C-alpha cells in the first residue's frame, strides 16, 4: 500500500523551499516513510492537516523525486531490512534539512543507529501529535518558514549528537570509543558557540533533542561558554569540552526508562544513577588519548566542596578546577533542559539555585558564571 501526495486547493507550482504553492499560501511538502501500512497511514493522517504529504513504505521503490521540506521515518531499527531500505535512500535523505525518526524501540543502540542513518531529531513512536507537529513547524529553525532568512546550520548539533549516541553504544556493546571523533565534535561546538553565542546553542539543542542526549549537548555548550568567559587557554578549553562530552558516558549502563523517568526516583533507582560517574571512569581509563584531568572530571563531576557529593565524597582542595567548572555547568544545564513532563526553568531562576548552594560550589566561580547564565 502506498500513499499518494494529497494536495488541497489549486496549485501554482513547487517552490524552491520544498513547498506546494497554493492560492494565498504555501503548504510545505513532507515525505513519510514507514515499515508497515498502518504506521504509514497513521503518520500521514496526523500530518495532512498542516502539510502536503507524500508517503511510501520502506519496502517499495523510492518515489522521493523532489526535495521535501522535511521527512518523517517511522520504523523498527532492530530490523536489518529496514536499515538497508533507509540506506538505499541515503543520497536523497541527505538533501532534506529536517529528518525526524520515530523509533519503535528507544534503546541507546537504536538511537545511535538513527543518527548514523542521518536523523536530525529522534523521537519515540508514541510521541504526541502536538509534539510531532511542533517539531515540524518550529519557525525558529526555518523548515516551514517562507521568508528568505537563512537559519544557522545544525551540523555541529548533528555531529555531536551522533558522537554521543555512538559513545553510549560503544559502552553498551563493549566497543572501542572514537576518542578523536569526540574531541573533534567538541571543537565544532566550541567554534559554533564562539561565532553565534550560548543562547543560540541552547535553543537549537532543545529543539532537536530529548533526555540524556540533550543534557550532554547542553552541558558541553554551557561548559565551553563558561571556559570562554573565564579566558581559559586553548588546551584547557579542549580538556573542558572533552570532559563535558564524556561526563555522563557511564549512564549508558542505566536503562533509559530510569534516566528519563518523570518524577522522583526511588532509593534503588537513585543508587543506580549514582553509579554512573565511576562506571564512566572505568570505561574511559582503558582508552588512550584521554588525559588524567578528563578522567578526573568524569569521575568527580558530582562531588561538592563540603564532601556531600559522590562517588568519593571529595572535599575542598581535592576537587580540581576543571571539575569545579564542569559541576556548575552540569547543574545549570540539568535545571534549564526541556523535559516533556516538566516546564523549562528560566535561566535566572536556575542561576539562583546555584547561588543557594553555598558551601557546595566555589563562590568565586558561581559569581563569574552569572554572565554566562544570564546574558551570553
Amino acid at each position: 500500500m502506498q500513499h499518494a501526495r494529497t494536495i488541497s486547493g489549486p496549485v501554482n507550482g513547487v517552490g524552491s523551499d520544498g513547498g506546494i504553492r497554493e492560492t494565498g499560501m504555501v503548504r510545505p511538502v513532507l515525505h513519510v516513510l514507514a515499515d508497515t501500512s498502518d504506521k504509514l497511514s497513521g503518520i500521514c493522517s496526523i500530518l495532512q492537516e498542516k502539510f502536503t504529504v507524500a508517503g511510501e513504505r520502506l519496502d517499495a521503490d523510492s518515489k522521493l523525486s523532489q526535495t521535501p521540506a522535511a521527512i518523517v521515518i517511522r520504523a523498527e531499527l532492530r530490523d536489518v531490512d529496514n536499515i538497508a531500505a533507509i540506506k538505499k535512500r541515503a543520497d536523497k535523505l541527505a538533501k532534506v534539512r529536517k529528518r525526524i525518526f520515530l523509533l519503535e524501540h528507544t534503546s541507546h543502540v537504536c538511537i545511535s543507529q538513527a543518527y548514523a542513518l542521518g536523523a536530525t531529531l529522534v523521537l519515540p513512536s508514541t510521541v504526541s501529535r502536538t509534539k510531532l507537529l511542533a517539531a515540524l513547524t518550529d519557525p525558529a529553525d526555518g523548515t516551514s518558514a517562507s521568508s528568505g532568512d537563512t537559519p544557522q546550520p545544525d551540523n555541529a548539533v548533528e555531529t555531536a549528537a551522533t558522537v554521543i549516541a555512538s559513545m553510549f553504544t560503544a559502552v553498551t556493546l563493549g566497543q572501542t570509543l572514537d576518542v578523536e571523533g569526540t574531541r573533534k565534535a567538541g571543537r565544532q561546538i566550541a567554534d559554533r558557540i564562539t561565532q553565534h553565542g550560548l543562547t543560540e546553542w541552547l535553543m537549537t539543542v532543545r529543539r532537536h533533542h530529548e533526555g540524556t542526549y540533550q543534557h550532554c549537548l547542553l552541558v558541553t555548550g554551557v561548559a565551553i561558554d563558561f571556559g570562554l568567559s573565564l579566558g581559559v587557554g586553548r588546551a584547557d578549553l579542549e580538556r573542558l569540552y572533552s570532559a563535558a562530552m564524556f561526563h555522563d558516558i557511564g549512564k549508558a549502563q542505566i536503562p533509559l526508562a530510569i534516566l528519563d523517568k518523570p518524577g522522583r526516583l526511588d532509593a534503588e533507582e537513585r543508587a543506580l544513577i549514582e553509579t554512573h560517574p565511576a562506571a564512566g571512569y572505568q570505561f574511559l581509563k582503558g582508552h588512550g588519548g584521554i588525559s588524567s584531568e578528563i578522567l578526573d572530571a568524569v569521575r568527580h563531576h558530582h562531588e561538592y566542596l563540603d564532601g556531600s557529593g559522590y562517588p568519593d565524597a571529595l572535599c575542598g582542595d581535592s576537587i580540581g578546577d576543571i571539575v569545579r567548572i564542569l559541576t556548575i555547568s552540569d547543574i545549570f544545564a540539568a535545571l534549564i533542559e526541556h523535559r516533556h513532563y516538566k516546564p523549562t526553568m528560566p535561566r535566572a531562576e536556575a542561576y539562583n539555585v546555584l547561588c543557594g548552594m553555598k558551601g557546595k560550589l566555589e563562590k568565586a566561580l558561581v559569581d563569574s558564571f552569572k554572565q554566562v547564565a544570564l546574558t551570553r
Side-chain angles (χ1 to χ4, degrees), residues 286-303:
H287 288 76
I290 302 178
S291 69
S292 59
E293 294 95 337
I294 294 172
L295 291 173
D296 178 52
V298 170
R299 184 177 181 94
H300 296 130
H301 65 277
H302 283 290
E303 302 284 5

Side-chain angles (χ1 to χ4, degrees), residues 133-151:
L133 290 175
L136 288 163
T137 59
D138 183 357
D141 97 330
T143 298
S144 61
S146 59
S147 71
D149 295 339
T150 302

